[in-house]
Amino acid sequence: MKAKQTYLKGKSVFIVSLVVIFITILTVYLTGENYNRTVTSNFYISLSIIGTALFLFMTYGLYEGIGLIDNFPKYRDFQTGDIIASSGTSPDIPSVEVGEGIGGFLLSILLWIGMTILVFLLLVLLEAFFWFSIFVILTILYWVFFRALKFVFSKSKDTKGQVLQSIIYSLSYTVLYLGWIFAIVYLAQSLR
């Protein structure tokens, strides 16, 4: 009787990848505290750590015949509201002139308080936009990362129990997924 294929959940894989990225950042920071390394060398170290973890994970998954199941929440039905006008025009701001004397002074204080409240509300809105942007970026990263790994693990039925074939597949996909980033950094560094 043939054993069933083991499946990993996409959400779990994504959380583990975020942990790997956090550990990479922490490792580069802690090891770089006593050295004066350039940003490029820190980048190479970070990518090397992530590449090694990715290679080992893919090799193990291909050798064990692991598949992936997408259990991340679906955001296709997300509807955006018309919170911010999309016409590109800004509202007309009236010009307020305060007179002189005690009336002008009191009106200046009231306008100052009103502008402080307005700036505070705009900062709250900006913060909400910032967190929403991080959410969108993480969702995009999840989709790209999950699709890439799902493509790799589609070969797991062929490589189950075969170490050499698993290593070859995972090495080629690691070079494919991270090699272009190394190449871009190297070219940018050499063209300076």
Side-chain angles (χ1 to χ4, degrees), residues 18-89:
L18 290 178
V19 170
V20 167
I21 290 170
F22 175 74
I23 290 172
T24 302
I25 291 169
L26 192 64
T27 303
V28 169
Y29 173 74
L30 292 177
T31 60
E33 239 178 44
N34 298 328
Y35 302 103
N36 265 341
R37 289 194 303 235
T38 64
V39 173
T40 307
S41 58
N42 280 337
F43 186 76
Y44 284 140
I45 291 170
S46 299
L47 272 182
S48 298
I49 293 170
I50 292 172
T52 303
L54 183 66
F55 170 75
L56 293 174
F57 175 71
M58 287 190 305
T59 302
Y60 176 76
L62 287 171
Y63 178 74
E64 290 293 322
I66 293 176
L68 287 180
I69 295 175
D70 187 7
N71 68 333
F72 206 72
K74 305 289 183 215
Y75 295 105
R76 293 182 184 144
D77 299 330
F78 181 73
Q79 297 292 327
T80 58
D82 191 20
I83 297 170
I84 300 173
S86 60
S87 65
T89 60

Side-chain angles (χ1 to χ4, degrees), residues 94-129:
S95 174
V96 178
E97 293 185 30
V98 294
E100 299 204 15
I102 191 77
F105 178 70
L106 290 176
L107 190 57
S108 299
I109 290 176
L110 288 175
L111 286 174
W112 175 66
I113 291 171
M115 288 304 293
T116 303
I117 292 171
L118 180 66
V119 167
F120 175 75
L121 291 175
L122 288 175
L123 284 176
V124 168
L125 182 65
L126 182 66
E127 181 184 11
F129 178 73

